[in-house]
Amino acid sequence: MNILSENKLVLGIDIGGTNIHSGLVTPKGRVIKEFNLKTQTFSTPNHFIAELHQLVLAYLDSHQYKLTGIGVGAPNGNYYSGSIEFAPNLPWKGSIHLSDLLNEVFKVPVKLSNDANCAAVGEFLFGNGKNCTELLVITLGTGVGSGFISNGQILLGHDGFAGELGHIIIEKNGRSCGCGRRGCLETYTSATGVVRTALELLSTSTENSMLKNKSTSEITAEFISESAEKGDTISKEILLLTADYLGLALSHAVAITSPKKIILFGGLSKSTFLREQTKIKMESYLLPIFQNKIELQPSGISGHAAILGASALVQIHKD
Amino acid sequence: MNILSENKLVLGIDIGGTNIHSGLVTPKGRVIKEFNLKTQTFSTPNHFIAELHQLVLAYLDSHQYKLTGIGVGAPNGNYYSGSIEFAPNLPWKGSIHLSDLLNEVFKVPVKLSNDANCAAVGEFLFGNGKNCTELLVITLGTGVGSGFISNGQILLGHDGFAGELGHIIIEKNGRSCGCGRRGCLETYTSATGVVRTALELLSTSTENSMLKNKSTSEITAEFISESAEKGDTISKEILLLTADYLGLALSHAVAITSPKKIILFGGLSKSTFLREQTKIKMESYLLPIFQNKIELQPSGISGHAAILGASALVQIHKD
């Protein structure tokens, strides 16, 4: 049977501590079928793969689709080794050679990387970074990740670990970080970092604020963003401080890689105020030759971003 | 006539404010003939090119060599445009399309970039970075430059200006820089930056030092390096401060590009004490996944480094 290219699908898999979201993706980036599984129900990666294989095969067979590859986004995922390396939030311990395991069962090429690199290739192929061969994507979530597209390829470095902008030390002897050091960008500009800034400012300020009289669990990055949009002074101050740290870190990244476009990805990036202020701060820290050249945009992928990003790994891969 | 590959030469040109060093280079990186000209004697680039052309042609003809390409290292040299963009120290003002001008006269492919990128490709092809496809070269001279080799190619960014590590702001509101901003790495870790640190420390310290009772013109980076090797406490303190700034900046570069090797290039890099302390500081700022993986070495090119680097542009070029 002659398989038309539209019948060729890539499986994108996004592995998190709680959920594993997978989906079959067309070459144009449309997710036509999703499979959602709970990470903790699988004591080994083999159990997970066996179940996913059954589900995918059943769907492919009944629709005469052909699977051409698998892309995986995973915490601590390494592109070169195809392994998940000691991910603290997964039930599977140690170094898991997930690419090999998937390849043995599915018999198609498998590419694996971390979430931020997946976000970067996703934006490059299907989002606001489309065709932008010099691109930087920053993920602002519980942590801060980054993926660089350079010369149309993922910037991997010699060991596959390039793109750790979230762990540059932006403040010497600053806040303690989950990585065991102090002052990482992530401790200031992640969703949790923003909440830390809020608590710090609230502890010293006498100013009235929508954040006051809230329980600490209610003071989320989302609530702070919303309050800032409504004009809350302390919330704006929090985001201004966040923008200052992020702008400085971005200026470092620009001086090194000179991207055409920077995309902010993840919950926090939805704040227009934060994006605008980050742009202003970044420009103020840039060498004149880089000023007023770089577009800073939000993600251009509305749904299934993680699945699309993972699937994009197969389409961009450089072997 | 059948030209053997050993008869094929590349012309490397290193343009500075005072001298233009050029040389004919074999594919294996041997400079077999040098031409040295004074920059200020040429009121236009065309005059310089005409003279160089005569000299090169005479030599090639008399030795039956064939010229296959020209590589140029120049201040503010842009790889994509092949131009020198508003270099303050050259007699030729504005934007000089030197690649085109050279190509019109010599009728061979011409590649042009800045000095730091030339140093990087030089080390990659002929020096201590040989075959290291993920490499970072830092030039520590009057200024601080950097060239990144990523995936075996020069990291250029969208506009050819990538690799400006010398102008990341390493100290907010720090020392004023020639670029018009404050706190650039260059103001602390260039040869002139090291002298500024010396004057700062001498102004506050009561400690005895070999630097005291010297005229300010005698306090050079070289003299400070020598004094440190002899055990002078203040000189060591100056280099420790320098190493701290450089180590932090290198840790940023590593987090973004994850090189296998970093090469320190230029006068200051000859200080073993500075190199060792920079390595210690860098390691202390690195995320654990990057620690104890990266070699930090001095340049592996003993003579003609600038000519070799410029000539290497032609051999590595990616068009």
Side-chain angles (χ1 to χ4, degrees):
Chain A
M1 190 181 88
N2 181 23
I3 303 280
L4 296 170
S5 87
E6 295 85 66
N7 292 46
K8 293 183 179 173
L9 301 177
V10 169
L11 180 63
I13 306 176
D14 171 51
I15 298 180
T18 310
N19 296 296
I20 302 175
H21 296 296
S22 309
L24 289 164
V25 183
T26 68
K28 291 192 171 167
R30 200 162 56 86
V31 178
I32 58 167
K33 173 71 184 169
E34 263 194 277
F35 311 96
N36 292 319
L37 300 167
K38 290 284 169 196
T39 317
Q40 304 291 334
T41 53
F42 304 105
S43 56
T44 72
N46 302 72
H47 285 115
F48 150 66
I49 291 170
E51 175 142 350
L52 184 63
H53 186 238
Q54 264 194 342
L55 292 169
V56 170
L57 222 62
Y59 185 83
L60 291 173
D61 285 350
S62 64
H63 292 76
Q64 297 206 316
Y65 283 118
K66 185 172 155 52
L67 189 70
T68 58
I70 299 175
V72 187
N76 295 19
N78 187 291
Y79 186 90
Y80 288 131
S81 64
S83 306
I84 299 175
E85 314 273 0
F86 303 89
N89 298 325
L90 296 187
W92 318 323
K93 298 306 170 197
S95 182
I96 309 291
H97 291 269
L98 201 71
S99 280
D100 292 346
L101 297 176
L102 282 163
N103 176 264
E104 278 164 28
V105 173
F106 282 88
K107 314 284 183 202
V108 293
V110 181
K111 293 289 159 190
L112 178 147
S113 196
N114 65 37
D115 326 36
N117 281 342
C118 289
V121 291
E123 294 293 337
F124 175 54
L125 291 185
F126 307 121
N128 272 342
K130 213 165 185 172
N131 302 322
C132 179
T133 55
E134 306 291 334
L135 177 69
L136 165 50
V137 175
I138 309 283
T139 61
L140 301 170
T142 315
V144 171
S146 66
F148 291 75
I149 303 289
S150 168
N151 202 17
Q153 298 184 329
I154 319 173
L155 188 70
L156 292 163
H158 85 281
D159 53 3
F161 288 120
E164 283 290 354
L165 195 69
H167 290 280
I168 68 167
I169 292 177
I170 202 74
E171 186 78 61
K172 274 192 199 175
N173 303 314
R175 293 178 182 167
S176 61
C177 182
C179 73
R181 302 176 310 148
R182 298 184 80 92
C184 293
L185 179 68
E186 171 164 310
T187 66
Y188 296 91
T189 66
S190 63
T192 41
V194 168
V195 173
R196 288 167 85 169
T197 305
L199 298 177
E200 207 172 283
L201 287 188
L202 285 172
S203 76
T204 56
S205 168
T206 54
E207 185 132 14
N208 206 9
S209 168
M210 294 162 102
L211 305 184
K212 291 204 168 164
N213 305 319
K214 292 280 168 191
S215 73
T216 49
S217 65
E218 288 172 309
I219 301 178
T220 60
E222 201 179 345
F223 184 70
I224 295 164
S225 297
E226 285 167 10
S227 306
E229 305 286 342
K230 288 176 189 157
D232 184 68
T233 309
I234 288 193
S235 298
K236 284 166 84 171
E237 207 178 321
I238 294 163
L239 295 187
L240 273 171
L241 273 167
T242 311
D244 191 48
Y245 281 114
L246 188 55
L248 181 61
L250 291 179
S251 79
H252 294 347
V254 168
I256 292 172
T257 64
S258 192
K260 179 78 193 127
K261 200 178 264 194
I262 297 173
I263 292 175
L264 300 186
F265 187 100
L268 253 178
S269 70
K270 288 170 193 146
S271 162
T272 310
F273 182 76
L274 179 67
R275 286 203 314 274
E276 284 172 357
Q277 294 303 319
T278 299
K279 177 83 161 66
I280 291 168
K281 292 289 186 179
M282 179 185 79
E283 292 287 349
S284 77
Y285 291 126
L286 285 177
L287 191 64
I289 51 165
F290 297 120
Q291 284 167 10
N292 305 313
K293 280 180 167 182
I294 301 162
E295 294 174 67
L296 193 141
Q297 295 189 340
S299 166
I301 299 176
S302 47
H304 307 298
I307 291 173
L308 274 181
S311 78
L313 281 179
V314 185
Q315 298 197 40
I316 199 187
H317 81 93
K318 64 178 196 178
D319 296 350
Chain B
M1 189 182 88
N2 182 24
I3 305 281
L4 295 170
S5 89
E6 295 86 68
N7 292 47
K8 294 185 177 170
L9 301 177
V10 170
L11 179 63
I13 306 175
D14 171 50
I15 298 180
T18 309
N19 296 296
I20 301 176
H21 296 295
S22 309
L24 289 164
V25 184
T26 69
K28 289 190 172 168
R30 200 163 56 86
V31 177
I32 59 168
K33 175 70 183 169
E34 262 193 280
F35 311 96
N36 292 319
L37 300 167
K38 292 281 169 199
T39 316
Q40 304 292 334
T41 52
F42 304 104
S43 57
T44 71
N46 302 71
H47 286 113
F48 150 67
I49 290 171
E51 174 140 353
L52 184 63
H53 187 238
Q54 265 195 341
L55 293 168
V56 170
L57 220 60
Y59 185 82
L60 290 174
D61 284 350
S62 63
H63 292 76
Q64 297 207 316
Y65 284 117
K66 184 173 157 54
L67 189 70
T68 58
I70 299 175
V72 187
N76 296 19
N78 187 292
Y79 186 90
Y80 288 131
S81 64
S83 306
I84 300 175
E85 313 274 3
F86 303 90
N89 299 325
L90 296 187
W92 317 323
K93 298 305 172 199
S95 182
I96 308 290
H97 291 269
L98 201 71
S99 280
D100 291 346
L101 297 176
L102 282 162
N103 174 264
E104 278 165 27
V105 174
F106 282 87
K107 314 283 183 202
V108 293
V110 181
K111 293 288 159 188
L112 178 149
S113 196
N114 65 37
D115 326 37
N117 281 341
C118 289
V121 292
E123 294 292 338
F124 175 54
L125 290 186
F126 307 121
N128 273 341
K130 213 165 185 172
N131 302 323
C132 180
T133 54
E134 305 292 334
L135 176 70
L136 165 51
V137 175
I138 308 284
T139 61
L140 301 170
T142 315
V144 171
S146 67
F148 291 75
I149 303 289
S150 168
N151 203 17
Q153 298 185 329
I154 321 172
L155 189 68
L156 292 164
H158 85 281
D159 53 3
F161 288 120
E164 283 290 354
L165 195 69
H167 289 281
I168 67 167
I169 291 178
I170 203 72
E171 186 77 60
K172 274 192 201 175
N173 303 315
R175 293 178 183 167
S176 60
C177 183
C179 73
R181 302 174 313 147
R182 298 185 81 91
C184 291
L185 180 68
E186 172 165 307
T187 66
Y188 295 92
T189 67
S190 64
T192 39
V194 167
V195 173
R196 288 168 85 168
T197 304
L199 299 178
E200 206 173 284
L201 287 188
L202 286 171
S203 75
T204 57
S205 169
T206 54
E207 186 133 11
N208 206 6
S209 170
M210 297 162 97
L211 305 186
K212 292 202 170 168
N213 306 318
K214 291 279 169 193
S215 73
T216 49
S217 65
E218 288 172 310
I219 302 178
T220 62
E222 202 179 344
F223 184 71
I224 294 164
S225 297
E226 286 166 11
S227 306
E229 305 284 344
K230 289 176 188 158
D232 185 69
T233 309
I234 288 193
S235 297
K236 285 166 82 172
E237 207 179 321
I238 294 163
L239 294 187
L240 274 172
L241 273 167
T242 311
D244 192 48
Y245 281 114
L246 187 54
L248 181 61
L250 290 180
S251 78
H252 294 348
V254 169
I256 292 172
T257 64
S258 192
K260 177 78 192 128
K261 201 176 265 192
I262 297 172
I263 292 175
L264 300 187
F265 188 100
L268 252 179
S269 70
K270 287 170 193 147
S271 162
T272 310
F273 183 77
L274 179 67
R275 285 203 314 275
E276 285 172 356
Q277 294 303 320
T278 300
K279 176 86 159 69
I280 291 168
K281 292 290 187 178
M282 179 185 78
E283 292 286 349
S284 78
Y285 291 126
L286 284 178
L287 191 65
I289 53 164
F290 297 120
Q291 284 168 11
N292 304 312
K293 280 181 168 181
I294 301 162
E295 293 174 67
L296 192 141
Q297 295 187 342
S299 166
I301 299 176
S302 46
H304 307 300
I307 291 172
L308 274 180
S311 79
L313 281 179
V314 184
Q315 298 197 41
I316 199 186
H317 81 94
K318 63 179 195 177
D319 297 350

